[in-house]
C-alpha cells in the first residue's frame, strides 16, 4: 500500500480539502480528530480511516502516544499533515519523537512556533529585508507616546500568539481609536496573560491583502508557488479569506521566496502581505505554517500542496511549477461570505451591485463538491444544530 497520510483536524474545511487533495490521487488518508461531533471532514469518501484520538490541548501526551502507536502498526512511515494552528503547535512541541515515526517537512524544532509568534516573526522579517508595519511592544515604557508619535490612531492591538487570543476573545485583534481604548485593551490582554503588540494600520481596503503560497523542498528552495488577492474577509477588514482570487503578482515571489529560503524553511507556508494604498509597498502581515483556507483554490489552479508534500517526503517529488497567469478562479466560503457581505454593505464599504457582479466567476468552494457531497450535508446539519441551540438558549 505504501506510505499513508495522517491528517490532523477534520472539523473544518481546511482539513476536508486536505483529505480530498490526497484522496483524489489514491493516497490512503487517515484523518484524526478528537470528537465525531462536528468533524464533517470524516464524512468524505476520500477519508480511508477516521480516527478519534485524545485532545491536542487536554491530553497532548496521550495524542503523541496515540499517533506513534498508529505509525508503529504501519509498513511504512506515514506523512503527517496538521491543518490548524493548534495542531502545528502540537507537532512543533513534540517534533523529535514524532519525526522518529512520521515523515514531516520541518526538521528544526521551534521554527514553526517562531514564525507563528508575531514578535519573533517581525524580527526575522526585518533581518531578511522584508517590510513589516511599525510596531510597539505592550511593555514599552513609553507605549502611549510611541503610539501617538509613530503609529497614530486608529491602530491595532494584535496577539503574539493568535490561537490563545482567538480562543479567549473570539476575534483576531482589537482596533482602538484613542489612548483610553488602547490602555483598556492592553490591560485586558495582560489580565489573561496574553502578550500583544500595537501596530500601525497599513492603508487600503481588504482587496489590498495578498498571499504568497509556496512549497519549499528539503533544501529550502521554493519549488511550487502561486499568489492570490483577497477580495472579502470575515470578520470584515481583519478576518480570514472568504472570497479570494488567484492573481499573479511576481513581486510577491521576490519578497516571499527570499525570506522563506533565508530562514531555511521547509514545507508549505503562506505569507500574507498588505499593499500600502498610498505608497504601493508590500508589508508582511503574518505567515501561516499549515495548509490554509485557500487550499482548494490552489489545487484548482494547479498547485496541490498536500500531494506535493506527500510526494516529496515519500521520495518521488513532483516537477517544480509556478502559476504565472491569471485563471479567473476564486475561492468561496459561502456561509461566512454571506455574513461578510451583509456587513460590507451595511458599512458602505461595498455596493450590492459590485458584490453581485463578483459572483459570476468559476469557483473553488470551501465545502461543496458534487463528487463528494456528504461533508456538505454534515456541515449543514452542524449549522442547523447551532441555530437550534441559539434559539433554545434564548427561551
Amino acid at each position: 500500500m505504501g506510505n499513508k497520510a495522517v491528517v490532523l483536524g477534520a472539523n473544518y474545511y481546511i482539513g476536508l480539502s486536505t483529505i480530498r487533495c490526497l484522496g483524489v490521487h489514491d493516497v490512503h488518508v487517515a484523518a484524526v480528530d478528537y470528537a465525531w461531533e462536528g468533524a464533517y471532514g470524516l464524512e468524505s469518501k476520500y477519508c480511508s480511516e477516521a480516527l478519534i484520538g485524545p485532545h491536542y490541548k487536554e491530553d497532548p501526551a496521550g495524542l503523541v502516544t496515540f499517533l506513534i502507536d498508529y505509525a508503529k502498526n504501519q509498513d511504512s512511515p506515514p506523512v503527517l499533515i496538521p491543518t490548524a494552528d493548534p495542531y502545528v503547535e502540537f507537532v512543533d512541541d513534540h517534533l523529535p519523537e514524532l519525526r522518529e515515526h512520521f515523515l514531516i517537512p520541518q526538521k528544526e524544532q521551534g521554527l514553526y512556533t517562531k514564525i507563528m509568534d508575531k514578535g519573533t516573526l517581525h524580527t526575522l522579517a526585518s533581518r531578511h529585508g522584508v517590510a513589516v508595519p511599525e510596531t510597539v511592544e505592550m511593555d514599552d515604557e513609553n507605549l502611549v507616546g510611541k503610539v501617538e508619535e509613530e503609529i497614530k490612531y486608529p491602530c491595532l492591538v494584535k496577539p503574539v500568539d493568535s490561537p490563545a487570543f482567538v480562543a479567549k476573545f473570539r476575534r483576531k485583534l482589537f482596533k482602538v481609536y484613542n489612548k483610553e481604548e488602547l490602555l483598556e485593551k492592553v490591560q485586558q490582554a495582560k489580565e489573561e496573560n496574553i502578550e500583544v503588540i500595537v501596530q500601525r494600520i497599513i492603508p487600503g481596503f481588504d482587496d489590498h491583502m495578498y498571499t504568497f503560497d509556496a512549497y519549499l523542498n528539503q533544501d529550502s528552495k521554493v519549488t511550487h508557488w502561486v499568489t492570490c488577492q483577497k477580495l472579502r474577509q470575515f470578520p470584515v477588514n481583519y478576518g480570514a479569506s472568504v472570497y479570494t482570487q488567484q492573481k499573479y503578482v511576481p513581486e510577491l515571489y521576490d519578497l516571499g521566496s527570499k525570506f522563506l529560503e533565508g530562514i531555511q524553511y521547509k514545507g508549505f507556508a503562506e505569507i500574507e502581505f498588505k499593499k500600502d494604498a498610498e505608497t504601493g509597498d508590500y508589508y508582511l502581515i503574518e505567515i501561516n505554517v499549515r495548509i490554509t483556507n485557500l487550499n482548494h483554490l490552489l489545487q484548482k489552479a494547479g498547485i496541490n500542496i498536500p500531494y506535493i508534500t506527500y510526494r516529496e517526503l515519500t521520495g518521488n517529488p513532483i516537477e517544480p511549477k509556478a502559476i504565472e497567469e491569471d485563471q479567473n478562479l476564486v475561492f468561496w466560503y459561502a456561509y461566512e461570505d454571506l455574513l461578510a457581505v451583509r456587513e460590507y454593505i451595511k458599512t458602505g464599504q461595498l455596493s450590492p451591485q459590485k458584490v453581485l457582479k463578483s459572483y459570476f466567476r468559476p469557483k473553488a468552494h470551501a465545502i461543496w463538491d458534487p463528487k463528494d457531497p456528504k461533508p456538505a450535508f454534515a456541515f449543514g446539519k452542524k449549522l442547523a444544530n447551532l441555530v437550534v441551540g441559539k434559539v433554545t438558549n434564548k427561551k
Side-chain angles (χ1 to χ4, degrees), residues 20 74 80 88 116 122 157 182 199 210 214 221 226 290 326 348:
R20 286 170 169 165
Q74 309 310 315
L80 188 64
V88 172
M116 291 169 73
H122 285 192
V157 176
L182 170 68
Q199 202 171 78
Y210 293 82
K221 296 297 177 189
V226 58
R290 39 89 186 148
D326 293 335

Side-chain angles (χ1 to χ4, degrees), residues 256-304:
S257 62
K258 179 187 171 188
F259 174 67
L260 292 172
E261 291 179 358
I263 63 171
Q264 292 290 291
Y265 191 84
K266 296 172 177 63
F268 172 72
E270 178 183 89
I271 306 181
E272 287 195 13
F273 290 96
K274 186 165 187 183
K275 186 178 184 180
D276 190 314
E278 295 168 5
T279 67
D281 295 329
Y282 288 97
Y283 287 83
L284 185 151
I285 303 300
E286 68 177 7
I287 300 183
N288 291 307
V289 294
R290 39 89 186 148
I291 306 297
T292 69
N293 305 52
L294 305 181
N295 188 49
H296 187 204
L297 174 63
L298 308 188
Q299 179 207 10
K300 209 162 182 178
I303 303 290
N304 183 334

Side-chain angles (χ1 to χ4, degrees), residues 5-78:
V6 173
V7 174
L8 299 179
N11 64 359
Y12 196 51
Y13 64 80
I14 297 175
L16 170 62
S17 69
T18 303
I19 293 164
R20 286 170 169 165
C21 279
L22 294 162
V24 292
H25 290 285
D26 296 322
V27 175
H28 181 108
V29 180
V32 180
D33 215 296
Y34 54 83
W36 285 106
E37 189 180 355
Y40 54 87
L42 301 179
E43 301 288 339
S44 172
K45 72 177 186 180
Y46 299 109
C47 178
S48 310
E49 283 181 88
L51 307 174
I52 302 300
H55 194 283
Y56 52 81
K57 208 163 196 91
E58 293 169 6
D59 186 11
L63 181 55
V64 170
T65 302
F66 176 85
L67 291 172
I68 290 175
D69 285 347
Y70 177 83
K72 282 179 175 176
N73 285 319
Q74 309 310 315
D75 296 331
S76 310

